[in-house]
Amino acid sequence: MCRNKQESYELQIPVSILKERAKTLFWNMSGFSVKNPPSEYQKKEVLQLQQALESKIEINALLRKLEPYSFEKQYMTLADEMIYYELPLHLYKEQIVGIYAFLISEDTLVSDEQDTVDQLYTHIWQNAYLDAAREWVKEYLFQKTGQFVSSCISPGFYGIALSHMRTLYHMVDGEKIGVSVRPDGLLYPEKSVLGIYLLLKNQINILGKRCGSCPAQGKNCEFCMEKI
């Protein structure tokens, strides 16, 4: 781990500590359920893919404390950059005591030699490990700061335009871990996640569930972090 005067951290997250959490997330994402359980063959195949992925996957993360910050009715200002959103964060100004931007990435590629199903399962495993890493970073922040940490806020959600991906990318200096940002705001490698966490005085849900306004209209709920 490296730290500098700007309160930033560069982390390589050991895959071994994410294994069980990623396994739980995989089964939640995969579409299998109590009513639709995997066969013994599918279980074996899925766990073999996890084992193969673990032998080559590397997960890197960046964290940076953002100052100054402020929250208004439809926008927040982070390190002098204005970001528009559809969140009532201005109502919780007194609860917010800090803010960190994060970037997590892994660049393992799905092999073209795999059949379609194995490629799909590998993609789900990658997403599961990224989400497990994101949860680990949230816990890391809690342990480091002693403050409660909000749910993740990212461009593409909560009314935050994807164009702000570039803004946050430059805030954390994503090049440090080999991540780049395309003109359309998407990250490369594609298995990268970027967003912010708020530090809070109390453990409260300042984001809330947004099921009522979700554009998916009830489809693919099993993939939603609100449901997992």
Side-chain angles (χ1 to χ4, degrees), residues 84 132-133:
Y84 291 89

Side-chain angles (χ1 to χ4, degrees), residues 92 95-98 146-151 198-206:
Y92 301 93
Q95 286 289 336
I96 300 170
V97 295
Q147 301 288 346
F148 295 106
V149 184
S150 74
S151 297
L198 308 178
L199 303 184
L200 306 170
K201 289 182 181 178
N202 298 293
Q203 191 173 14
I204 56 174
N205 182 7
I206 64 175

Side-chain angles (χ1 to χ4, degrees), residues 68-95:
Y69 60 85
S70 65
F71 300 93
E72 305 304 329
K73 188 172 183 179
Q74 292 183 315
Y75 67 90
M76 57 183 161
T77 303
L78 306 177
D80 300 322
E81 294 284 351
M82 189 176 292
I83 296 178
Y84 291 89
Y85 54 44
E86 295 175 6
L87 289 167
L89 297 184
H90 63 291
L91 300 178
Y92 301 93
K93 288 181 181 181
E94 299 304 315
Q95 286 289 336

Side-chain angles (χ1 to χ4, degrees), residues 78-187:
L78 306 177
D80 300 322
E81 294 284 351
M82 189 176 292
I83 296 178
Y84 291 89
Y85 54 44
E86 295 175 6
L87 289 167
L89 297 184
H90 63 291
L91 300 178
Y92 301 93
K93 288 181 181 181
E94 299 304 315
Q95 286 289 336
I96 300 170
V97 295
I99 184 167
Y100 280 81
F102 72 88
L103 173 62
I104 304 170
S105 181
E106 72 94 3
D107 60 2
T108 305
L109 298 177
V110 174
S111 172
D112 291 335
E113 297 178 359
Q114 292 178 300
D115 62 36
T116 303
V117 173
D118 282 356
Q119 287 188 32
L120 173 62
Y121 286 158
T122 300
H123 277 300
I124 297 175
W125 270 123
Q126 289 174 301
N127 292 337
Y129 273 99
L130 281 178
D131 276 334
R134 186 164 53 80
E135 291 180 5
W136 183 90
V137 166
K138 179 178 177 178
E139 293 169 1
Y140 175 87
L141 267 180
F142 172 73
Q143 294 170 1
K144 203 74 180 171
T145 66
Q147 301 288 346
F148 295 106
V149 184
S150 74
S151 297
C152 166
I153 303 173
S154 295
F157 299 92
Y158 303 112
I160 302 175
L162 271 177
S163 58
H164 287 307
M165 192 81 78
R166 180 177 294 276
T167 304
L168 292 176
Y169 168 83
H170 289 299
M171 285 182 182
V172 297
D173 195 9
E175 288 184 357
K176 283 185 177 180
I177 57 172
V179 177
S180 59
V181 59
R182 301 183 340 196
D184 58 7
L186 296 179
L187 300 174

Side-chain angles (χ1 to χ4, degrees), residues 3 20-22 140 143 188-189 222:
R3 178 178 177 178
E20 292 307 313
R21 194 192 311 247
Y140 175 87
Q143 294 170 1
Y188 183 85
E222 66 270 22

